[in-house]
């Protein structure tokens, strides 16, 4: 009999504990994202559409080493490398990525490419509105991901035509 009473009391305590959480949450202010009427909010470390970075001179940080492509578990990064020349310098290294595509129909936003990059050229931005009925539009090209040259950037070498796009 004593064990039955303690069991009932134990269950009642558990229910009371659960209801305490319920009532506490009912009284708390409602946090509702108003997206798309208001911009979505992200944690700083959110992994969205990639951004290809430039250095302080405006040159592309990517030196076409292919380490990001090698680290990608779904092989969704496609790169074509080209040599920098005296008249066409795009990056600070010997080579630059003439073509740099990421296929977002396959990317799982794991961040391995960002981890693998030795020059911090590829990073995650906060872009996320990439849904499409046409998967061909999910292949993002370098020109879509490359940061624009800022007014603060001071190119130390002449940039080839089109480098700012
Ligand atoms: S985030 Fe992951 S899946 Fe996407 S491109 Fe980078 S390594 Fe590949
Ligand atoms: S983004 Fe980084 S890892 Fe990928 S090819 Fe360019 S420099 Fe190498």
């Amino acid at each position: 009999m004593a064990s039955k009473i303690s069991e009932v009391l134990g269950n009642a305590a558990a229910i009371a504990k659960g209801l305490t959480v319920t009532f506490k949450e009912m009284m708390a202010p409602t946090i509702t994202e108003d997206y798309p009427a208001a911009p979505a909010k992200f944690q700083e470390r959110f992994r969205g559409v990639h951004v290809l970075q430039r250095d302080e001179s405006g040159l592309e940080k990517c030196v076409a080493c292919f380490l990001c492509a090698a680290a990608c578990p779904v092989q969704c990064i496609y790169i074509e490398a080209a040599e920098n020349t005296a008249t066409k310098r795009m990056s600070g290294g010997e080579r630059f990525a003439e073509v740099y595509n990421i296929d977002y129909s396959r990317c799982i936003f794991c961040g391995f490419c960002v981890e693998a990059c030795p020059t911090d050229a590829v990073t995650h931005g906060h872009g996320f509105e990439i849904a499409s009925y046409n998967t061909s539009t999910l292949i993002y090209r370098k020109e879509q991901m490359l940061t624009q040259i800022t007014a603060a950037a001071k190119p130390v070498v002449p940039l080839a035509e089109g480098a700012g796009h």
Side-chain angles (χ1 to χ4, degrees):
M1 184 65 182
S3 67
K4 284 281 179 204
I5 292 172
S6 67
E7 188 182 335
V8 169
L9 288 176
N11 289 342
I15 291 169
K17 193 175 171 188
L19 286 175
T20 305
V21 175
T22 303
F23 286 122
K24 199 172 147 194
E25 290 301 319
M26 282 171 67
M27 298 302 154
T30 306
I31 302 170
T32 305
E33 293 286 342
D34 205 15
Y35 177 83
K41 299 187 194 79
F42 298 98
Q43 295 296 320
E44 195 51 43
R45 63 183 180 180
F46 174 80
R47 295 198 288 255
V49 172
H50 296 77
V51 177
L52 294 173
Q53 302 290 345
R54 294 179 183 275
D55 65 19
E56 61 282 356
S57 303
L59 293 171
E60 295 168 18
K61 283 189 169 182
C62 177
V63 294
C65 68
F66 289 82
L67 287 177
C68 54
C72 179
V74 294
Q75 287 90 47
C76 68
I77 301 177
Y78 177 80
I79 301 168
E80 287 179 14
E83 299 281 334
N84 284 304
T85 65
T87 54
K88 184 180 180 182
R89 171 159 289 280
M90 306 292 281
S91 77
E94 284 183 18
R95 301 191 302 175
F96 68 96
E98 185 133 60
V99 175
Y100 191 107
N101 297 344
I102 295 182
D103 183 351
Y104 284 106
S105 69
R106 293 160 67 190
C107 175
I108 55 172
F109 297 92
C110 64
F112 286 2
C113 51
V114 176
E115 294 290 325
C117 181
T119 62
D120 295 329
V122 63
T123 60
H124 278 291
H126 287 173
F128 71 101
E129 292 164 314
I130 59 172
S132 172
Y133 288 112
N134 181 355
T135 51
S136 68
T137 64
L138 293 176
I139 298 174
Y140 274 45
R141 303 183 190 286
K142 171 178 149 181
E143 293 73 17
Q144 292 168 273
M145 297 182 282
L146 193 60
T147 51
Q148 299 295 306
I149 293 182
T150 62
K154 296 186 182 66
V156 292
V157 288
L159 289 168
E161 192 179 339
H165 299 289

